[in-house]
Amino acid sequence: MSYVPIVPIITPEAPPSRQTQELADLLGRVVQEYEKAHPTVSGAEVAQALQLAKRASAKAGGEAKAIFVGLAAGLALMVGLGVFFMVQRGGDFDAQGPWPVAAVVVALGVAFAFVAILRRKE
């Protein structure tokens, strides 16, 4: 049996923007002040609190919404394509033909593309 080594490609992260650094400094100061006032707080609690704070942001955490909208758009397209093909056949829906599979593939492609576009904009 042969062995093929796979070396992962590590791309350097882009440096944080000025606003990102400013917000990180502000959050860091708030966490430090809270830790001084409450010395028993654990690192896991701090991490969980930061996750909860992220959900409260109007601009962060829109992934679930983007996924829902993308899947809803894909489902609507799939139903629309199914109705279109059914009308083309005079109301006879042939589930054995290639059209149902094509409708599902196109709808899923649209849904995934929509989610990718929304994630890129955030």
Side-chain angles (χ1 to χ4, degrees):
M1 179 161 79
S2 61
Y3 173 74
V4 178
I6 298 174
V7 179
I9 299 173
I10 300 173
T11 58
E13 292 184 20
S17 68
R18 183 186 57 80
Q19 288 179 334
T20 302
Q21 190 62 45
E22 183 179 333
L23 181 58
D25 291 342
L26 179 62
L27 289 172
R29 285 192 302 250
V30 169
V31 168
Q32 288 172 353
E33 289 295 321
Y34 189 85
E35 288 174 338
K36 285 179 188 175
H38 303 86
T40 60
V41 70
S42 69
E45 290 173 317
V46 171
Q48 186 178 16
L50 290 172
Q51 287 295 325
L52 291 173
K54 181 181 175 184
R55 290 184 200 158
S57 172
K59 294 186 178 184
E63 290 180 9
K65 180 180 175 184
I67 290 171
F68 175 76
V69 171
L71 291 177
L75 180 64
L77 181 65
M78 187 170 61
V79 170
L81 286 172
V83 169
F84 173 76
F85 291 129
M86 198 165 104
V87 169
Q88 289 290 346
R89 292 180 169 251
D92 181 31
F93 184 73
D94 180 18
Q96 300 299 323
W99 301 116
V101 175
V104 170
V105 169
V106 169
L108 288 176
V110 168
F112 286 123
F114 189 78
V115 169
I117 290 169
L118 286 178
R119 281 186 178 176
R120 190 176 305 159
K121 287 184 179 181
E122 291 179 356

